[in-house]
Structures are given as structure tokens and as C-alpha cells.
Amino acid sequence: MRVAAGLLIAGAVSAGVVVAAWAQSSAQPATSRSAGSAPTPPAAAAAPAAAPAPAAPAAIKNTCANPDALGVGRVVEIDTTGGPGFGFEHFKQLDFLRDKEVVLTFDDGPWPVNTPAVLKALGEECTKAIFFPIGKHATYYPEILKQVATAGHTVGAHTWSHANLNNKKLSEQQQIDEIEKGYSAVKWAIGGAPAPFFRFPALQHPPTMVTYLGNRNVAIYSCDVDSFDFRAKNADKIVETVMGKLDKNGKGIILMHDFQKHTAEALPQLLRKLKAGGYKVVHMRAKAQLQTIASYDESLAKDSKLPTVSARPVSSVVQTVAE
């Protein structure tokens, strides 16, 4: 859940081309880093060596059981070096989406009923999203978050407790603790390294933490289209809000919450509307996963008293007493 977004001091995120096309339905390759020319040998100064041609992106395998599914139009790999920022609400530099392209993102999960319903809707349309879970929620429902990761969605982080990191009462160390403990919780839940993708609660970006994430090579996500689903009274309102903003903007990173009941209810209709409107989903994934900090991993296991699975045999746990 979030409130009105705060302002970000311009120029806090380093520049650079960070999006490389991995796969797409179109036959044309996407623009990526340009390859430099090889040094000219002394004997061939008159004819500089040509730069190698960029490799063509791999085709997306169509294994979807739904022939009319929304699917994934393009997969992009993100080089998170220096902490690039995405989403025009705060970051204006990296405009990589083409017309009629969207990125689906979900905050605040995992949560019973709602997150599984979101996963079901995405699965039926054979499409992918980025999830920004809250660390505490990840420790409450690790099996749900693991389903998210197993389904092939990108899993980043959204702090440990959804604290507003722009709160002046928080020390810099407490802000860092919120970030790192959140990542360690996600790692514990999914059984592997999370993506170095982060979204600030309430989209409040304290400059010191923007710098910190840049030094950690973590990409920061704002949005282009805010669903305001946490304010919506019903599913129809969410669909109306998102499609209205998309029709105006033509493309964008969509912010939603898998924590919200109405979002889960709205998603099947929204995905069909996107398909009917000619929109294509771009799946963003990281070039390299995040290396969590060992001390946070260890303290999480010690302090949170995370649930463990019993190793006892079935016969000693479950006994039929009547049938």
C-alpha cells in the first residue's frame, strides 16, 4: 500500500544504457550497447575494422495452452550497474519501452488468496510480471512467494516492513536495515537470490538511499501508470483507471498490488483489455542476481524465528482415526 509519491532529487541515479533485448516476437533486434570498433592494425590504417554485428535476439518460445493469450511480447535484460531508475513518475532518463508496451508490477505481497489469484490470472494469459514483496510478508507466506519465483516472474524487494524510508525519524542505518533485511527475507523465502530490483514504499526516494542502492548496483523502480488500486472500491475502477492512463500515455510501467483483493479480481479483465487494445507485455529481468549480505541472512534466521518444516515421517505425524 502506498500514499502520494514524494519527489526525487534529479540526477541521483547514474546514466547509461542498461537495457539489452533478450527476446522479442518481432524479427527486428532491439537497440542495446553499441559494439566498439577493434583497434586498427598498423599495416591497415586505411581501413578500420568494422564493428561486429549485434547478435539477433532469441525468439520467445510459445508453449502457451491459450492460443489467444496476451503472452510476452519482449524480454529485456537489465544491467543494474550504478543503480538505474525506471518509471517516468520519477526517472526520465531511460525511455526503453516502445509504443503499446507495458511492464506489469505488483507490490506488497505475498498474501493469501490475492497473490495466488494474481498468479492464476497471469498464468492463464501466459504473461510475466515483476513482484516487489515486503520482507515480513515473505516470512509469513514463503510458499506463496516461492510459487511466484517458480512461475518465472521477476522477484525484487520492497523493504522489510514497508517503512517509509523518507521518514526523518529513521536513521541512515535503519533505512539500510529495512532494505537489506527485506532482501534477505526474499532470498530465504524463494530459496535463491532475488533480482537487484527495488521499489521504495510510497515511492518516497531519500537521496542517501538512492545513492546506497546505486553503490549496491540495484535498479530502482517508480512507475508510469499508477493503478491506485488501494483506493479503488471495486475491480472495474482499477481497470478503468489503468486503461484510461494507458490510452493517454501509450505505454508504461504499471503499478499494482497483489496484496489487494480488488486487484486480484480486476486482473483477468485488465489483461484481456490489454490484449484487445494491442498492448504487449515486456518482461524485465536482471543480468545478474543480488548478492545478499551474510549478516542480514544470519540475523533474519536467528531473530525472526522463521518457521521450519518438520522432518518427521508421515506415519508419526498423520494417523487415520476415522473414515
Side-chain angles (χ1 to χ4, degrees), residues 25-84:
S25 55
S26 167
Q28 291 186 334
T31 303
S32 60
R33 262 191 204 89
S34 58
S37 298
T40 304
I60 295 175
K61 295 181 180 179
N62 184 9
T63 58
C64 184
N66 178 2
D68 192 42
L70 174 61
V72 173
R74 189 160 61 112
V75 180
V76 296
E77 187 177 79
I78 307 303
D79 179 351
T80 62
T81 302

Side-chain angles (χ1 to χ4, degrees), residues 1-312:
M1 294 172 285
R2 55 167 291 235
V3 296
L7 297 177
L8 173 67
I9 294 178
V13 178
S14 61
V17 179
V18 296
V19 182
W22 182 261
Q24 59 192 42
S25 55
S26 167
Q28 291 186 334
T31 303
S32 60
R33 262 191 204 89
S34 58
S37 298
T40 304
I60 295 175
K61 295 181 180 179
N62 184 9
T63 58
C64 184
N66 178 2
D68 192 42
L70 174 61
V72 173
R74 189 160 61 112
V75 180
V76 296
E77 187 177 79
I78 307 303
D79 179 351
T80 62
T81 302
F86 297 96
F88 267 41
E89 186 164 328
H90 294 91
F91 306 102
K92 311 295 185 185
Q93 203 162 25
L94 299 173
D95 185 10
F96 74 97
L97 288 178
R98 303 165 185 166
D99 188 43
K100 291 281 188 174
E101 285 188 336
V102 299
V103 177
L104 305 172
T105 70
F106 297 91
D107 291 6
D108 292 2
W111 204 249
V113 181
N114 301 337
T115 302
V118 166
L119 284 178
K120 181 174 183 293
L122 294 172
E124 288 176 349
E125 290 292 337
C126 301
T127 195
K128 302 297 181 186
I130 306 173
F131 286 76
F132 295 98
I134 295 172
K136 276 188 177 181
H137 291 180
T139 65
Y140 296 161
Y141 308 107
E143 71 286 353
I144 297 178
L145 191 59
K146 192 158 190 175
Q147 290 171 13
V148 174
T150 301
H153 302 289
T154 299
V155 182
H158 195 44
T159 71
W160 163 250
S161 69
H162 203 267
N164 185 336
L165 300 191
N166 218 26
N167 186 339
K168 303 303 182 183
K169 294 182 180 180
L170 293 179
S171 68
E172 185 171 328
Q173 186 57 55
Q174 287 173 318
Q175 293 171 323
I176 292 172
D177 290 346
E178 276 285 331
I179 293 170
E180 298 296 352
K181 193 173 179 181
Y183 271 119
S184 290
V186 171
K187 177 184 177 182
W188 176 84
I190 66 177
F197 293 177
F198 185 82
R199 182 174 271 153
F200 284 93
L203 300 184
Q204 297 277 343
H205 304 75
T208 53
M209 289 303 100
V210 171
T211 300
Y212 176 80
L213 290 169
N215 290 334
R216 287 280 278 133
N217 296 323
V218 172
I220 303 171
Y221 282 75
S222 180
C223 69
D224 302 305
V225 175
D226 194 336
S227 68
F228 288 106
D229 52 358
F230 60 95
R231 295 180 182 173
K233 295 182 179 180
N234 54 53
D236 290 341
K237 182 60 179 177
I238 296 171
V239 175
E240 177 187 336
T241 298
V242 172
M243 293 308 300
K245 291 181 178 181
L246 274 180
D247 289 343
K248 180 180 179 181
N249 297 343
K251 62 182 182 180
I253 297 172
I254 304 172
L255 168 57
M256 295 174 281
H257 299 79
D258 55 311
F259 179 82
Q260 298 293 332
K261 176 176 180 287
H262 291 321
T263 302
E265 295 169 344
L267 195 58
Q269 181 186 356
L270 177 59
L271 297 179
R272 289 192 295 270
K273 288 274 190 180
L274 290 173
K275 171 73 173 179
Y279 290 95
K280 294 183 178 180
V281 171
V282 173
H283 182 204
M284 301 179 72
R285 65 189 192 191
K287 182 178 180 180
Q289 300 303 92
L290 181 77
Q291 181 68 46
T292 57
I293 297 175
S295 60
Y296 286 94
D297 295 342
E298 294 163 3
S299 65
L300 180 77
K302 178 181 178 181
D303 299 339
S304 298
K305 298 180 180 179
L306 300 177
T308 56
V309 178
S310 173
R312 291 160 56 198

